[in-house]
Amino acid sequence: MNKLSKIVQKVYADAQSAKLVRPGNKVRILDDGPMCDWVVDVTEVNGGIARILVPLLGEREALISMEQLERVQA
């Protein structure tokens, strides 16, 4: 039974890890603004804030809350 709970914990940890946004990931913006549903690249993550590349602004960087991002599976 103990082995089963360790397997469940590993599966849960793997699922959580797959959702984490890291530099180099592509993410979808979930806010209600003009960039809603855009897929952009993450360049840096620090304290719940991600730095993303905004393609229409000549690849300039912008800051956005991690709560407004969803990792896109490659």
Side-chain angles (χ1 to χ4, degrees), residues 8-63:
V8 170
Q9 288 175 353
K10 182 177 179 344
V11 168
Y12 180 75
D14 289 346
Q16 290 299 97
S17 177
K19 292 180 183 179
L20 288 177
V21 174
R22 297 183 180 99
N25 289 148
K26 290 202 177 288
V27 295
R28 177 173 282 108
I29 299 174
L30 301 175
D31 72 351
D32 294 331
M35 295 193 306
C36 182
D37 287 333
W38 284 19
V39 175
V40 295
D41 293 314
V42 175
T43 59
E44 182 181 339
V45 175
N46 189 4
I49 303 292
R51 187 177 300 267
I52 59 172
L53 291 177
V54 182
L56 289 181
L57 299 177
E59 293 291 326
R60 291 191 184 188
E61 293 182 326
L63 300 175

Side-chain angles (χ1 to χ4, degrees), residues 1-11:
M1 191 67 171
N2 190 18
K3 186 174 183 177
L4 180 61
S5 70
K6 288 188 184 229
I7 292 171
V8 170
Q9 288 175 353
K10 182 177 179 344
V11 168

